[in-house]
Amino acid sequence: MSGDFDDEGNEDDDDEYGEDNEELSASKVRQILTPYERAAWIPVCNLGDGPVDCSKFSGIPYLNAKDSWPLCDVCKNPMQLILQLDLKEASKQSKSDCGEGLLQLFYCHHASKNARKNSFLRLLEPGDKPQKIEKSPVPNAYPAKRITGWTLIENDYPHSSELFQFEDDIECDIQDLADFVDRTEEFRPKRGDKLRGWHAWPQGADIHSCDTCGTDLELLMQIDSKSNLPLEFGSDGTALIAQCPVHKDQLRFDWSN
Ligand SMILES: [Zn+2]
Ligand SMILES: [Zn+2]
């Protein structure tokens, strides 16, 4: 994480900077960050697979009649279904437009940091006749967990590295604010699996833009190490599915640690 570069303990500096150098407090930071709060939703899960078209972690994915189970480019094995998310349900839950269809993320756990090679993310339009698959072909498949509900987090805050984009609108020293946020758990983006909110970047933000319109992608779903699935992205990393706020089918999977 970024260090604290404040020259603390040197009281003479306070005079030099005058009133602008007013010390930050939790209540002041809460007030400063209010415009940037986002709601997020934590999935509530039941152990066991559900219907083939439901939202779930692991388990049997919805596959249209002519689909085949995606294989890993690296080891050629069938990949784990990490997440299947009904975007209509996600839209309803988050009261935001997440698009429609079934989002599916497949992933094969390798040490490789190139998430493109051992993952497959797609948006599927379910047809009328899904394949009937009794047993997962994935070696050592993770236990299936059906998403049965969502718990609201009312105020998720941006990672300190994302605050700099709001520098012109924030009336305090942005580096002081970032340092305060970094050392105060309340103001850090929540870890764990969640829908929407702000991504808990392990280092700094690495935001990609939409291939179609160039708009910055936003967090659709965060998938964390050792949360609903017993997998780890690098060493305690976090993964995300990002989405264009305009083009809901422009989706991107990445992880970092
Ligand atoms: Zn593989
Ligand atoms: Zn776009």
Side-chain angles (χ1 to χ4, degrees), residues 210 212-215 244 246-247 250:
C210 172
T212 305
C213 70
T215 306
C244 175
V246 183
H247 305 95
Q250 291 290 322

Side-chain angles (χ1 to χ4, degrees), residues 71-79 107-110 117-118:
L71 303 180
C72 171
D73 269 359
V74 182
C75 70
K76 313 297 177 198
N77 279 315
M79 282 188 277
Y107 181 72
C108 187
H109 193 216
H110 294 289
K117 278 194 147 177
N118 53 341

Side-chain angles (χ1 to χ4, degrees), residues 229-255:
L229 293 181
L231 96 160
E232 192 170 1
F233 299 100
S235 173
D236 199 30
T238 53
L240 79 160
I241 297 169
Q243 183 184 45
C244 175
V246 183
H247 305 95
K248 307 296 173 181
D249 57 348
Q250 291 290 322
L251 298 155
R252 183 185 165 98
F253 169 70
D254 269 311
W255 66 266

